[in-house]
Each structure stands twice: as structure tokens, then as C-alpha cells.
Amino acid sequence: MWNPRGLILAVLALLVQVSVVYSVVLPLERAFPLSQPVQLSQLRARDRVRHSRILQGVVGGVVEFPVQGSSDPFLIGLYFTKVKLGSPPKEFNVQIDTGSDILWVTCSSCSNCPQNSGLGIQLNFFDTSSSSTARIVSCSDPLCASEIQTTATQCPSGSNQCSYSFEYGDGSGTSGSYIYDTLYFDAILGESLIANSTALIVFGCSTYQTGDLSKTDKAIDGIFGFGQGDLSVISQLASRGITPRVFSHCLKGQGNGGGILVLGEILEPSIVYSPLVPSKPHYNLNLHGITVNGQLLSIDPSAFAASNNRETIVDSGTTLTYLVEEAFDPFVSAITATVSQSVTPTMSKGKQCYLVSNSVSEIFPQVSLNFEGGASMVLKPEEYLIHLGFYDGAAMWCIGFEKSPGGVSILGDLVLKDKIFVYDLARQRVGWANYDCSLSVNVSITSGKDQFMNAGQLNMSSSSIEMLFKVLPLSILALFLHSLSFMEFQFL
């Protein structure tokens, strides 16, 4: 059995052997006067404040973000989280988007941006003059010479502000200027080890928006890009050792949606991994085939070949899922052939639909997307069908996949929901597993799998205490030992 007192004595003995002792006299005062009784809760509260100060800027922590939103295109059709920026910090609702790199929020100077949102959230605007730590990225900054998302940074004549302008896959776009300012977050090292941390990051301040971004029905404060580019927040924090070079999400599909988003690695035994296609800006995977009801569809392999630029992109910023034409038509035909004796096939607004009297899970087949490395993504009927209401007393379900207008297949929230997804940038792979995203998850606090905790509950596992001595810096180790000795004194 592990003996904390013996370990403490051993560490102290080692420190005594290597230290040089100087005679220094310092005046000491009690934080709590002897004349007043002290409750244990007071000591714990004081220690929590102290620990938070000591752990400011600690490396190797996990950052958890709250998740709201839903994959249902008739409710919200997107997932978003909250970030705090500036000094004093201001909170912004931003869409979670693995298909782009940049974090941007709407500037107060935006000329045509929505002023209210049909999502029932209050829109906030970033004002550089109201943040004491905000700094414009100038045209002389090395950042301004780099290329961002296929669009070069710009320096308009007569301006010294480094600007950007880029377009998303749905045709919407944004332009603005880059800002240096403070991001606030909690770096979590366990149930009682939470550091109120900050980091200086670069993000965009949008002054112009087009397409769906300019509409009010699903307006939001900005977009949180989680791509692999150097300017994504995950890359900025990981390059300084603040977080691991991996992030994970679990997007809840049922009820009100929501879920879990962490800068760290979710651990789940059933996760399967597929390697990323090298030298691609997005999370591109090699899809090898599609199985419906246990039968591999007859699809020309060239439809998915990387050599033909036919990779499959994982994109949380896309609501539905898109298949290349060579795969889409056989897929729809296979589904229809499998269920035609149990449902009434029909067409609605150009989509293949079905009138269903029973539960779709009892009638429709299981679908598997088979990726490189032997990793299969198993889809339930609710992950490739969407419910479009009722007709003649029967529920109408339609194929939720769309035919891709280009040569690239895109996996959107329809198939990403109700699964753990791990984006391991360090190992250049993406992993997934079916999961109930209303439950807590085990999360590694290092880039390996030797230490973990629960996001949501944030309970550190009993086996991870020993690993703290391998991970934490000496100053925090000493603090931890002090806490152990204090606890031992109180309860022995």
C-alpha cells in the first residue's frame, strides 16, 4: 500500500542533501490570529485561492468549454461554446468549427452584422478600445506575411492594420483585422487542481460579414476554428505547452443537445483511429467504402481516392453530411431497397423520404463508413435520416445525406453527434466511438494515456495520484506534498 508519509520524508531528505543552507531571519505573521477559532472550511478556501495563484500559467492542463446547440437543422443546426476575451473579460458565443482555423468575433464597428439572433441569445461585440490588453496586429508583424486558410493576409493602403478576408464552404464570408488579446480559461489538473489561467492569443475582429453570417435567424458572435493551422487556438496554446496538441468533443444529439468540448484527449476503450491524409489543411480521412446492412456497396474506389483529391473531411461546422455522387446514389438505393417492404418510399422537395409507422431503429439498417486503418464509423438510422414531420398519420423520415456539389465528402454534425471524436494533431489521426454524450468522460491531462480525469465531474482517478510526481513541476510537487501532509495531520 502506498505510504504518503514515507514518500514525503524521502523527498524532504533528498532536498536537504542537495541544498545549501543560509541563515536568514524573516518576520512572520499569522494569517489567522490565535485568538479567533479557525474552521477547516476557512483553511481550505484560503488554500484554494493560493493554489489557483500558484498554478497560473501551468502547462499540461486540460481546458473544458461548455457546449450548447443541436444537430437538428429545424431547431438550431449548429453547436457553439463560450469564450472570454479582453480585459475586463467579455463572453462570446462562438460556433465550434473543425473545418476552419481562425477564432473570430464580431467587432463593434461591423457595418452590416446582425444585431439580434433567432437563437434566443444576446449578441455581443468586441470593442478594442474597451479592452486594456487589446493590441492591433500591425502590417510589420511577421504574422501578416503568413498565409491563412488559403487567403493571404492583407494590408490595405493607408492602413497599418493586418487584415483578413476569407469565405466558408457554404458561401458565407467574413473580413476584419487581427487582434492580440487575452483569452481566459480554466486549466484543469484534477478535481482540486483548477487554475484560472490566461493566454495572449491572436484572433479576428470581424467588420464585415456576407451570406448566412449576415442573417439573424441563426446569428452568433463568431466562429471558433479548430483546424490544424498555426493560428488556430489549439495550435497557439499547444505551441507554448499550455495544452496538449489534441482536442476532443462529444456532441449530444438528443433532447436539447449540448455536449462536451475539451482541449485534451478523451479516453474511451472502444475508440478506433484512422490516420489523417498528410499535408492537408483540414481533417481529411481516406474513406475506403460504405456498408449497408452488412453488405459492401459497389462503389468505384476512385470515388474516394486521395490521388483524385477525393478525401472525406470531418467538419463540425457543417450540419448535414455530403457524399460524392458516385457514393450517394448507391447509398440511397441500398437504403430504399432494404426498407421498401416495411415503409412507403416517397419524394419530398427532391429528397428521398419514407413514411414510417414504427420506430426507424427497428426498420432501417445499420450503416458503416469504412476508413483507412480498419476503422469503421457505425451509424444508427437517426444518424443518416432526418425527421421532417408527419404525413397521413405516418412519420416522414428523409435521407439526411446530400449529394456533394464538389469532389469531397463532408461529415457534418448529423453523423458526428452521439460520438466521442478525438483530433490527435500530435499523432496525425482522428478517432471516434459511439457514446452517450450526456455522461462524463475520462480525459488525459498529458499527451499520453497515463493519467486521466473526468470532464464534467472532474474526478481524478485513484491510479493517477502517483503520476502527479512524474508530471508536475517541483514547485507544484512541493505544494501537493504540503497539502498531503496537512490532510494527514488533520485526519490521523
Side-chain angles (χ1 to χ4, degrees):
M1 185 175 179
W2 181 58
N3 184 349
R5 175 180 290 175
L7 178 59
I8 293 168
L9 293 175
V11 172
L12 291 176
L14 177 63
L15 292 176
V16 169
Q17 291 176 16
V18 300
S19 61
V20 178
V21 178
Y22 295 90
S23 178
V24 180
V25 178
L26 297 174
L28 299 177
E29 295 182 8
R30 292 183 178 272
F32 299 97
L34 277 176
S35 58
Q36 300 178 8
V38 180
Q39 299 295 322
L40 183 59
S41 59
Q42 291 178 268
L43 297 175
R44 286 174 175 163
R46 180 175 180 271
D47 281 347
R48 280 196 297 269
V49 173
R50 172 178 168 77
H51 295 181
S52 178
R53 287 199 305 267
I54 292 177
L55 294 175
Q56 288 265 357
V58 68
V59 302
V62 169
V63 179
E64 182 182 16
F65 291 95
V67 176
Q68 295 176 263
S70 166
S71 62
D72 190 333
F74 303 104
L75 291 178
I76 297 179
L78 59 86
Y79 290 91
F80 60 95
T81 187
K82 297 178 184 294
V83 295
K84 293 181 180 180
L85 300 167
S87 301
K90 191 171 185 179
E91 193 168 71
F92 299 89
N93 293 297
V94 286
Q95 182 179 0
I96 302 166
D97 183 19
T98 61
S100 64
D101 290 338
I102 308 303
L103 165 64
W104 64 263
V105 294
T106 304
C107 255
S108 57
S109 58
C110 187
S111 58
N112 69 323
C113 298
Q115 300 298 306
N116 52 73
S117 173
L119 299 179
I121 59 176
Q122 179 181 341
L123 296 182
N124 293 313
F125 303 89
F126 188 84
D127 185 355
T128 54
S129 64
S130 297
S131 174
S132 61
T133 49
R135 178 166 63 87
I136 297 293
V137 178
S138 68
C139 288
S140 59
D141 193 294
L143 164 70
C144 211
S146 66
E147 188 170 291
I148 299 166
Q149 284 195 352
T150 75
T151 300
T153 50
Q154 307 164 356
C155 276
S157 59
S159 172
N160 191 37
Q161 294 186 10
C162 184
S163 303
Y164 64 86
S165 177
F166 48 83
E167 187 175 291
Y168 293 95
D170 62 357
S172 60
T174 178
S175 59
S177 301
Y178 286 110
I179 305 290
Y180 284 110
D181 210 342
T182 303
L183 170 70
Y184 294 78
F185 56 92
D186 289 335
I188 305 167
L189 299 180
E191 184 178 19
S192 60
L193 295 173
I194 301 178
N196 299 320
S197 301
T198 62
L200 184 67
I201 64 166
V202 176
F203 61 93
C205 198
S206 175
T207 56
Y208 189 77
Q209 295 166 18
T210 61
D212 286 349
L213 290 175
S214 63
K215 299 177 181 178
T216 60
D217 56 340
K218 294 184 179 180
I220 204 158
D221 295 332
I223 291 180
F224 199 161
F226 279 87
Q228 301 185 70
D230 291 340
L231 277 187
S232 69
V233 170
I234 181 67
S235 293
Q236 292 188 59
L237 296 182
S239 67
R240 284 175 267 169
I242 297 173
T243 63
R245 193 167 167 76
V246 56
F247 70 95
S248 315
H249 62 63
C250 194
L251 307 176
K252 187 170 176 286
Q254 301 300 318
N256 296 325
I260 297 169
L261 171 65
V262 294
L263 305 189
E265 179 184 6
I266 293 180
L267 305 179
E268 168 62 30
S270 59
I271 290 179
V272 294
Y273 286 91
S274 185
L276 288 168
V277 178
S279 305
K280 295 291 183 178
H282 304 296
Y283 296 106
N284 295 43
L285 299 174
N286 280 315
L287 178 62
H288 285 176
I290 301 176
T291 301
V292 174
N293 204 28
Q295 298 296 314
L296 183 65
L297 301 184
S298 179
I299 301 174
D300 188 339
S302 65
F304 305 126
S307 58
N308 292 340
N309 293 320
R310 292 297 188 93
E311 298 91 12
T312 299
I313 297 175
V314 181
D315 179 19
S316 67
T318 295
T319 303
L320 302 176
T321 289
Y322 296 79
L323 288 178
V324 293
E325 183 175 359
E326 300 94 322
F328 178 83
D329 292 335
F331 170 75
V332 175
S333 297
I335 297 295
T336 303
T338 303
V339 302
S340 58
Q341 299 300 315
S342 305
V343 304
T344 302
T346 184
M347 299 297 293
S348 175
K349 298 181 180 179
K351 296 183 68 67
Q352 179 62 63
C353 300
Y354 312 91
L355 299 179
V356 184
S357 299
N358 298 322
S359 169
V360 292
S361 60
E362 298 176 359
I363 300 174
F364 283 80
Q366 197 174 76
V367 170
S368 293
L369 306 180
N370 307 315
F371 292 89
E372 182 178 347
S376 291
M377 186 181 301
V378 180
L379 306 181
K380 298 175 293 185
E382 296 86 352
E383 294 166 349
Y384 62 83
L385 298 171
I386 55 175
H387 186 209
L388 289 184
F390 296 87
Y391 184 80
D392 284 345
M396 185 163 69
W397 289 81
C398 299
I399 296 292
F401 288 10
E402 298 283 340
K403 189 178 299 185
S404 175
V408 177
S409 299
I410 301 175
L411 303 183
D413 294 337
L414 180 65
V415 301
L416 303 187
K417 67 182 181 182
D418 298 322
K419 295 178 185 65
I420 290 171
F421 263 84
V422 177
Y423 303 78
D424 191 339
L425 282 67
R427 298 182 179 95
Q428 285 293 286
R429 63 182 186 170
V430 172
W432 57 83
N434 290 332
Y435 198 78
D436 181 352
C437 297
S438 63
L439 302 177
S440 61
V441 294
N442 292 325
V443 182
S444 170
I445 67 169
T446 68
S447 57
K449 295 188 175 182
D450 52 8
Q451 185 177 355
F452 61 91
M453 64 186 181
N454 284 333
Q457 293 181 348
L458 302 179
N459 293 323
M460 186 173 291
S461 73
S462 58
S463 63
S464 67
I465 296 179
E466 182 180 356
M467 293 308 304
L468 278 173
F469 298 100
K470 298 181 181 179
V471 177
L472 296 181
L474 182 60
S475 60
I476 300 177
L477 172 59
L479 170 64
F480 186 75
L481 293 174
H482 169 75
S483 298
L484 283 178
S485 62
F486 173 77
M487 291 167 60
E488 193 174 36
F489 174 80
Q490 289 292 325
F491 299 108
L492 281 183

